[in-house]
Amino acid sequence: MLKPLAPRFGIGEWYGHSFIHLSRAQRIAFARDAKKQTKKVAPPCPFVSGGEIKLCNKKGGICSLRLYERLEDGSARALEGDAGKLRVTCPRRFIQNNTVFSEVATIVIGTENPEIIPEIRFLKRPANSTEDTLDTTSRKAEDVGNIDIVLVNSSEDRFNWCALEMQAVYFSGESMSSFFDQIEDYMGPGIPFPDKNRRPDYRSSGPKRLMPQLQIKVPTLRRWGKKMAVVVDVPWFRTNVVDVETVSDISNCDIAWFLIDFDESSNPATLVIRELELQTLEQAVVGLTGGFPVTLTEFESKIREKMLPTR
């Protein structure tokens, strides 16, 4: 009998396909694609709509992760319930069928068919900044900082729009390259159990990446009377935004969180909007920070515990 191992995260979706539904031949083919993938050599991304063909731009082609348990025969089985949910690692996974754009626009700006405007410059570097003095011809007054996507309701007389950010999770641990090798060599039943420990890095994608973006952008959007919509998957939100209050109406929020999940009765799994959470910026920052500050007394007692004893 094999030594028991704790569940491990492995590939959830690969080049748009559910890993647990791939045949052995398909897994081997994808492993070889992943190892030779470049910007110009990669399978097409199946989630880009509108007839436009774009190659996968995610190194290794992994769209999402999921948690697996090892069975007695050495194969892997996806965990059931919340623990086994797909965790999105590529932002393009969010744009399947344009569901997110339609749902966000319907709720925030009142249209099912928004115009989708990508990568709008938001912050402008001061003309007298240090970088400008290095090369005044190319850097002077250069714009920095983007809003990922702007959704526009062009059917209204007034110019109505909202900002949209889509945040996937990073993952930490060993590179997937050794797992690709394992997949090519695997001759056992079912699917292989991940060879090494890897995990979603929620802290890097939440407090370290998204929170500064919100703190920079939302105050200006709030002054303009505009909303920030943020799309994340359910596990991302439940892990990163903890124990904070919400508001009951979109008119009182700064940030509208759209929590997505997947219907896995089809392959590829179909993206669905599961929940809508409305927060002020201050509520979101408290949640992303991961709790409330300890008291001064408690903090100073911890300092004293770590101080070297006086002689």
Side-chain angles (χ1 to χ4, degrees):
M1 182 179 294
L2 292 172
K3 179 182 177 181
L5 288 176
R8 288 178 179 174
F9 281 96
I11 300 172
E13 295 167 301
W14 204 4
Y15 294 119
H17 298 268
S18 173
F19 186 73
I20 60 178
H21 294 307
L22 292 174
S23 67
R24 180 173 180 273
Q26 289 172 318
R27 292 196 301 269
I28 291 173
F30 281 174
R32 291 171 179 170
D33 286 341
K35 291 197 288 186
K36 68 182 181 183
Q37 180 177 334
T38 66
K39 290 183 178 181
K40 296 183 178 181
V41 179
C45 175
F47 302 119
V48 177
S49 302
E52 183 180 6
I53 297 177
K54 286 192 174 182
L55 300 183
C56 174
N57 65 351
K58 182 70 173 178
K59 184 177 180 181
I62 297 170
C63 316
S64 61
L65 301 175
R66 78 181 326 150
L67 199 57
Y68 293 91
E69 60 182 345
R70 188 170 74 166
L71 303 180
E72 291 185 0
D73 60 8
S75 65
R77 178 173 62 195
L79 268 64
E80 298 181 353
D82 290 346
K85 285 184 180 294
L86 295 171
R87 324 294 175 97
V88 175
T89 57
C90 177
R92 281 188 181 176
R93 184 63 182 91
F94 291 123
I95 66 176
Q96 182 186 26
N97 300 328
N98 286 344
T99 299
V100 160
F101 301 139
S102 178
E103 292 283 343
V104 170
T106 297
I107 292 172
V108 182
I109 57 174
T111 180
E112 294 182 357
N113 300 297
E115 290 194 40
I116 303 165
I117 315 298
E119 297 291 332
I120 302 295
R121 293 291 185 182
F122 179 72
L123 299 178
K124 180 181 288 186
R125 181 180 290 114
N128 60 351
S129 69
T130 302
E131 289 190 36
D132 289 329
T133 62
L134 298 177
D135 184 352
T136 55
T137 58
S138 63
R139 295 185 181 275
K140 191 172 183 178
E142 179 187 359
D143 288 341
V144 295
N146 293 340
I147 297 290
D148 283 355
I149 293 171
V150 172
L151 302 180
V152 181
N153 184 347
S154 57
S155 65
E156 294 191 350
D157 293 337
R158 64 189 180 92
F159 192 50
N160 194 11
W161 57 271
C162 69
L164 173 62
E165 299 277 340
M166 298 184 291
Q167 182 62 58
V169 70
Y170 309 139
F171 77 84
S172 62
E174 299 289 338
S175 165
M176 280 285 186
S177 59
S178 64
F179 189 44
F180 299 155
D181 291 335
Q182 179 190 2
I183 288 168
E184 286 192 85
D185 296 337
Y186 184 72
M187 299 297 292
I191 58 177
F193 184 71
D195 63 324
K196 295 180 180 178
N197 286 312
R198 304 171 181 92
R199 62 177 181 81
D201 189 348
Y202 287 111
R203 184 160 186 81
S204 290
S205 57
K208 291 183 179 180
R209 195 277 171 186
L210 182 61
M211 185 168 72
Q213 296 285 322
L214 298 179
Q215 290 174 310
I216 290 168
K217 297 171 183 178
V218 170
T220 297
L221 293 172
R222 179 162 55 187
R223 288 194 296 272
W224 291 347
K226 302 299 180 182
K227 305 297 183 184
M228 170 68 81
V230 181
V231 176
V232 295
D233 60 39
V234 170
W236 193 103
F237 187 84
R238 296 291 175 234
T239 303
N240 265 320
V241 188
V242 295
D243 298 331
V244 293
E245 295 180 353
T246 59
V247 296
S248 59
D249 191 87
I250 195 167
S251 64
N252 291 325
C253 84
D254 300 314
I255 302 166
W257 296 91
F258 288 80
L259 313 188
I260 67 99
D261 200 354
F262 297 95
D263 177 357
E264 295 194 62
S265 61
S266 61
N267 185 23
T270 303
L271 180 148
V272 293
I273 306 290
R274 289 293 187 208
E275 299 176 49
L276 172 65
E277 298 281 355
L278 306 174
Q279 291 186 318
T280 64
L281 173 62
E282 291 75 20
Q283 289 170 334
V285 169
V286 169
L288 285 165
T289 302
F292 297 89
V294 299
T295 64
L296 174 62
T297 301
E298 184 179 350
F299 186 74
E300 289 184 345
S301 70
K302 293 181 183 296
I303 295 175
R304 292 189 177 94
E305 289 173 6
K306 294 190 176 184
M307 291 177 65
L308 294 174
T310 55
R311 294 183 180 179

